Amino acid sequence: MKPLEKLTKAQFVSFCLMSLCSGIMIGVGGTAFLLALSLFAEWGKLIGSVLFSLGILAIVMFEMKLFTGLISDIPEMGAKNWWRLPVCFLGNMLGVLLSAVLVYYSPLADKVVPQAQEMMSVKLDASLWGVKALCSSILCGFLITLSIGAVNYAPRKKLSTTVGVMFPIIVFAFCGFDHSVANTLYIFFLGFSWKAVLYILVCVAGNILGGVILPILSLFRLWSNKSQAEETKKE
């Protein structure tokens, strides 16, 4: 990961717009996921997971800014750059909501909206929903970081970057793990409430916890290798 630099005004505007576009892509991917669930019965979840992953692939290809992707930079970005996280999340939320409004007034609404309502109602009405949401979102955050990391690591291992980016996303979507930004789309169709907002906040916390695991382990590995090298030189 490259160290983050101070943004100019133009770069800040670009950052905000890319965050908005990223939210739109999550909204489109989430809509495709819901439509697949509605149309393809048992196969709908698998087909929908593949379709959802294409949204993340577009985000990576065009270097859009996704909150759950930016989390992987936390260990190295420094406290002075933490403002990027809420700004990115807000941009993502606005992009998702824009997609949600467009879908709500489109012909897709009859199939997509009831599916989202059913899916989120089950999660919000579950016993120990907070614990389940936290655990689910931690796993999601871990897989998102794995996906983002594939951009750098897949070519080194002579693997397909596209597959490396998409496969972890397909897994998290198929398993139903909670993505804080995507959940905004589903909750919009269900209807916002204080419980729904709290659910999203729990998912944000979980995505952060899961998203920093691999970067922290990578830093620890680098530190241990450096320490070993220094010990070798002393000998």
Side-chain angles (χ1 to χ4, degrees):
M1 286 176 251
K2 296 180 180 179
L4 298 177
E5 300 176 354
K6 186 177 180 180
L7 300 183
T8 64
K9 290 182 179 179
Q11 289 172 326
F12 176 74
V13 172
S14 176
F15 181 88
C16 293
L17 291 175
M18 283 300 185
S19 298
L20 181 72
C21 290
S22 185
I24 292 173
M25 289 309 306
I26 292 294
V28 172
T31 299
F33 178 77
L34 293 170
L35 186 60
L37 288 178
S38 177
L39 293 178
F40 299 110
E42 292 86 359
W43 287 95
K45 202 168 188 181
L46 179 58
I47 295 171
S49 299
V50 174
L51 295 176
F52 182 85
S53 71
L54 292 175
I56 301 294
L57 182 62
I59 289 171
V60 172
M61 287 176 60
F62 291 94
E63 298 183 354
M64 301 177 195
K65 304 300 180 182
L66 180 63
F67 170 72
T68 48
L70 198 60
I71 287 171
S72 63
D73 290 333
I74 288 178
E76 292 187 303
M77 69 166 51
K80 64 181 180 180
N81 286 304
W82 285 354
W83 61 266
R84 296 170 188 251
L85 294 168
V87 170
C88 183
F89 185 70
L90 179 60
N92 291 168
M93 293 272 284
L94 291 175
V96 167
L97 292 176
L98 177 59
S99 296
V101 171
L102 294 174
V103 171
Y104 190 80
Y105 290 103
S106 76
L108 295 176
D110 291 341
K111 294 186 181 297
V112 169
V113 173
Q115 195 68 52
Q117 292 173 339
E118 179 183 354
M119 184 173 69
M120 286 310 304
S121 293
V122 170
K123 290 188 176 185
L124 289 172
D125 293 338
S127 59
L128 298 176
W129 62 268
V131 175
K132 292 177 180 178
L134 181 63
C135 294
S136 175
S137 54
I138 287 174
L139 292 168
C140 175
F142 182 85
L143 288 169
I144 289 285
T145 298
L146 196 62
S147 173
I148 299 300
V151 175
N152 295 319
Y153 289 102
R156 299 180 191 177
K157 303 296 183 180
K158 297 182 179 180
L159 300 173
S160 168
T161 302
T162 299
V163 174
V165 170
M166 291 179 61
F167 196 68
I169 306 303
I170 293 172
V171 172
F172 107 67
F174 184 74
C175 292
F177 296 149
D178 284 284
H179 188 279
S180 53
V181 179
N183 279 349
T184 306
L185 175 75
Y186 310 141
I187 288 175
F188 175 87
F189 293 138
L190 176 65
F192 281 93
S193 64
W194 284 113
K195 188 175 183 179
V197 172
L198 183 58
Y199 192 95
I200 291 177
L201 293 177
V202 171
C203 291
V204 168
N207 288 163
I208 292 174
L209 290 173
V212 297
I213 292 174
L214 282 176
I216 289 175
L217 289 177
S218 295
L219 288 176
F220 179 77
R221 184 182 63 182
L222 290 173
W223 174 80
S224 62
N225 289 342
K226 183 178 180 181
S227 299
Q228 185 178 8
E230 291 176 350
E231 288 294 328
T232 302
K233 287 181 180 179
K234 291 179 181 179
E235 293 177 358

